Amino acid sequence: MKTYKAYCVDLDGTVYRGTEPISSAVSFVRRLQQKNTEPFFVTNNASMTQLQLKQKLARFGVSAQLPRIMSSAIAAAKYIKRWYPGKSVYMIGSEGLEQALVQEGIERVGKDADIVLMGIDPSINYEKLAQACLDIRNGAVFLSTNRDLAFPSERGLLPGNGAFTTLVAASTGVDPVYIGKPEMHMLEAISHEFGYDKSEMVMIGDNYETDILAGLNFGVDTVHVNTGVTPMEKVLEKEQQPTYIVEDLSFLKV
Amino acid sequence: MKTYKAYCVDLDGTVYRGTEPISSAVSFVRRLQQKNTEPFFVTNNASMTQLQLKQKLARFGVSAQLPRIMSSAIAAAKYIKRWYPGKSVYMIGSEGLEQALVQEGIERVGKDADIVLMGIDPSINYEKLAQACLDIRNGAVFLSTNRDLAFPSERGLLPGNGAFTTLVAASTGVDPVYIGKPEMHMLEAISHEFGYDKSEMVMIGDNYETDILAGLNFGVDTVHVNTGVTPMEKVLEKEQQPTYIVEDLSFLKV
């Protein structure tokens, strides 16, 4: 198979499963780094900061460069800075999103914002959602980190940011722009910032509906790995196929 | 026009607008009572108790009999008692819903409920919504007081119970049974409890999408009043017409 300059690797289900590393992925990253290729890590997670994600990867034996960790929080902040420079943001979210906005020097306000940005927030309450609805009804641009309706926990599937975003969209009648996968914004940010051509990039992940579709939406090559959410046989039924389908990342030449 | 035994009168937009009474409606209720007909008051409001609603009506000069105030909270509790006797309820809601459950002797639990019941809750938080999602995924019946996506306040349109219900429905993939209008459950409860035949009942209200549709769904006569949400000319465009359309309740013979 072809080699690439930018390997964009999903995290949960691709590099680790919850608290367990996937050894074939850990080895794959090392093989890349031995060839002086630093991978990108592309995750819909918006609650953790880049540093927290780097530390989590380090615990699994994966060394990641901070600027190459692209979360939907980081991508959202970069999107705002690039397309809405100087605009103020009303944010619902947690530490990852907060720090991403600080990092890009974006002004946060408590109301009357130009932009409403939603990410998962364990401290969500009525007032926060009400203010988001009021600002959106007053014309604020509506952005959301990702569409994730639920995420696994030891208690079962808990409501994700996509569910809270649906609440605000239903109440206001305004649909948001989603930043995370399957949208292409995170890949676009990597391409824009690091100067890669689409032909030099590949998106690698376990979830057809997010990872593979993000790659297809942006128009880059894709690799499906059979280590997470979407079983290989389900992927084979899809009309739009990934460029490569592998059992795990030990099968991927670099 | 025909006279009825059960006049089912909507509240907001029909008897009052926010904090102002609608005088033609106040007189209409008095005329009914002079003929020894006690009206029913049918409201999607689930946050206020029957007593609070009675007191609010009294401030506008309307005397209401407590058992004839049918809120979506009262209707929800009666629905549970009738169709799921002995079953436990996990409730999200405020005082009106809480008291309605107490009144019907329904057991409330903090988790592992047979039924999840949602109403508007100004103290909503992540944990409450998470528990609702977990119980529904574990097979609990999903009920919600009403579909209202937004409601007016002095600050603007705030998210209503329907928006929060949409969050839980989106996250779990389970659609709830809604109790409030346009569903027929409140009218059905009046018919069942007081022993009225459908031909003896009429639903009166300002909102085509809730009041008139509730009457049409239950199969009783309907009166649209031009004092609230839906303008008369919009009603005239609808395929399913109310039985009567009046400017206000001074035009309604009793």
Side-chain angles (χ1 to χ4, degrees), chain A residues 126 129 133 166-168 170-171, chain B residues 44-47 72-73 76 91-94 97 116-122 124 129 132 142-152 157-169 176-181 183:
Chain A
Y126 189 85
L129 292 161
C133 288
T166 299
L167 182 166
V168 174
S171 187
Chain B
N44 273 358
N45 188 309
S47 62
S72 62
M91 182 204 91
I92 292 178
S94 36
L97 199 51
V116 168
L117 171 60
M118 286 187 74
I120 189 77
D121 179 358
I124 193 74
L129 292 162
F142 184 14
L143 304 179
S144 179
T145 55
N146 64 67
R147 294 180 186 271
D148 303 359
L149 293 172
F151 63 88
L157 287 163
L158 299 181
N161 177 59
F164 287 87
T165 305
T166 300
L167 182 166
V168 174
V177 170
Y178 287 100
I179 300 297
K181 301 169 284 184
E183 266 59 53

Side-chain angles (χ1 to χ4, degrees), chain A residues 12-60:
Chain A
D12 211 350
T14 302
V15 175
Y16 50 74
R17 267 188 296 263
T19 56
E20 292 297 319
I22 297 169
S23 60
S24 50
V26 176
S27 309
F28 171 74
V29 170
R30 290 200 186 131
R31 282 190 284 129
L32 276 181
Q33 289 169 332
Q34 279 157 10
K35 302 229 170 185
N36 294 315
T37 302
E38 283 296 333
F40 291 86
F41 297 97
V42 179
T43 174
N44 272 358
N45 188 310
S47 62
M48 291 168 80
T49 65
Q50 275 179 319
L51 189 59
Q52 287 166 339
L53 287 164
K54 180 184 164 77
Q55 287 165 342
K56 181 166 185 179
L57 283 166
R59 284 199 296 277
F60 298 143

Side-chain angles (χ1 to χ4, degrees), chain A:
Chain A
M1 76 176 272
K2 181 180 162 182
T3 58
Y4 300 88
K5 288 190 178 169
Y7 290 83
C8 303
V9 187
D10 169 57
L11 290 183
D12 211 350
T14 302
V15 175
Y16 50 74
R17 267 188 296 263
T19 56
E20 292 297 319
I22 297 169
S23 60
S24 50
V26 176
S27 309
F28 171 74
V29 170
R30 290 200 186 131
R31 282 190 284 129
L32 276 181
Q33 289 169 332
Q34 279 157 10
K35 302 229 170 185
N36 294 315
T37 302
E38 283 296 333
F40 291 86
F41 297 97
V42 179
T43 174
N44 272 358
N45 188 310
S47 62
M48 291 168 80
T49 65
Q50 275 179 319
L51 189 59
Q52 287 166 339
L53 287 164
K54 180 184 164 77
Q55 287 165 342
K56 181 166 185 179
L57 283 166
R59 284 199 296 277
F60 298 143
V62 174
S63 152
Q65 288 189 350
L66 218 48
R68 292 181 186 238
I69 297 175
M70 180 62 74
S71 70
S72 62
I74 295 292
K78 288 182 185 294
Y79 183 90
I80 290 167
K81 191 179 183 182
R82 182 164 162 211
W83 300 110
Y84 300 100
K87 298 295 184 189
S88 65
V89 171
Y90 176 75
M91 182 203 92
I92 291 177
S94 35
E95 202 186 349
L97 198 52
E98 198 176 333
Q99 279 220 9
L101 292 177
V102 169
Q103 208 163 300
E104 299 296 330
I106 291 162
E107 184 200 3
R108 273 180 66 191
V109 293
K111 60 177 196 166
D112 300 330
D114 302 313
I115 296 165
V116 168
L117 172 60
M118 286 187 74
I120 189 77
D121 178 359
S123 308
I124 194 74
N125 59 33
Y126 189 85
E127 178 52 29
K128 290 183 185 183
L129 292 161
Q131 193 57 55
C133 288
L134 290 168
D135 280 6
I136 290 165
R137 286 184 183 271
N138 283 334
V141 170
F142 184 14
L143 304 179
S144 180
T145 54
N146 64 68
R147 294 180 185 269
D148 302 0
L149 293 172
F151 63 88
S153 77
E154 57 277 21
R155 296 167 68 195
L157 287 164
L158 298 181
N161 177 59
F164 287 87
T165 305
T166 299
L167 182 166
V168 174
S171 187
T172 59
V174 176
D175 285 326
V177 170
Y178 287 100
I179 300 297
K181 301 170 281 184
E183 266 59 53
M184 62 172 201
H185 301 295
M186 294 202 281
L187 294 174
E188 208 278 335
I190 291 170
S191 162
H192 175 74
E193 190 151 327
F194 290 81
Y196 294 119
D197 194 81
K198 291 184 184 186
S199 64
E200 298 170 325
M201 298 174 69
V202 63
M203 177 68 216
I204 301 170
D206 64 297
N207 187 329
Y208 182 88
E209 306 302 334
T210 56
D211 303 318
I212 303 305
L213 284 185
L216 290 166
N217 285 336
F218 189 49
V220 298
D221 282 359
T222 52
V223 177
H224 178 262
V225 289
N226 200 26
T227 54
V229 167
T230 318
M232 190 186 280
E233 54 274 24
K234 288 281 172 197
V235 175
L236 290 166
E237 290 167 8
K238 303 284 180 183
E239 202 178 310
Q240 281 194 290
Q241 286 290 304
T243 318
Y244 305 99
I245 301 181
V246 294
E247 190 57 36
D248 63 48
L249 285 175
S250 67
F251 294 88
L252 211 62
K253 294 238 171 56
V254 295

Side-chain angles (χ1 to χ4, degrees), chain B residues 75-87 89 101 106 115 117 143:
Chain B
K78 288 184 186 292
Y79 183 91
I80 291 168
K81 191 178 183 183
R82 182 163 161 212
W83 299 110
Y84 300 99
K87 298 294 184 190
V89 172
L101 292 178
I106 292 162
I115 296 165
L117 171 60
L143 304 179

